[in-house]
Amino acid sequence: MIETEIYVREGVEELAAHYKEVITLLGEDPTREGLEKTPMRVAKAMQVLTRGYTQDPHKVLTDALFEEKYNQMVIVKDIDVFSLCEHHMLPFYGKAHVAYIPNGYITGLSKIARVVDIYSHRLQVQERLTQQIKDCIQETLKPLGVMVVIEAKHMCMQMRGVEKQNAITTTSDFSGAFNQAKTREEFMNLLRRER
């Protein structure tokens, strides 16, 4: 479990002051009992939700880099994704599925999930998030190929706008060996198993 206080960083007081003003502009009284501590709680929460700006995903991968002659597909699937849409700052959430084909080096499996976590804890759009994860793994591990698929629901579509509760957005990006349809198909078939 991640301890929230670890992520409190510089600027939290100023951020809280802005949230107090937002509450006022929405027509509420930020000094009433139920809202008195809300500006600071929201400021701290936003720092946790955007902690990815203070973390280096490339370093995460290289900290657990091992020489290994394995050159078949490695898949980490069903990685929980929670992010904030940069257009409305509302959450989107779902699953990320990541595959790579090593080229002499592997990384710790948990590090793939950490890369997803770091990029998703920034203001995002799903399309960019998918590409950033793929690019980071490709640039850092230099594998024979990488493929990332993200399936997510967006609160900006569920709570406002079109209000479609069951819409799922799927994005994918790939490189190297995954440019071959056969390799992509193998990955997708492996994802469908036991689901």
Side-chain angles (χ1 to χ4, degrees), residues 146-171:
V146 180
M147 185 162 177
V148 178
V149 174
I150 297 178
E151 303 166 298
K153 290 186 172 189
H154 292 249
M155 296 300 282
C156 58
M157 285 181 63
Q158 294 177 308
M159 294 178 66
R160 53 158 305 283
V162 296
E163 296 183 14
K164 300 301 177 201
Q165 276 65 50
N166 297 310
I168 296 174
T169 301
T170 302
T171 51

Side-chain angles (χ1 to χ4, degrees), residues 63-81:
D63 281 352
L65 195 60
F66 309 102
E67 192 170 348
E68 190 62 53
K69 301 219 179 307
Y70 185 81
N71 64 356
Q72 299 300 313
M73 199 179 300
V74 176
I75 301 173
V76 182
K77 66 179 187 176
D78 294 329
I79 302 167
D80 290 323
V81 171

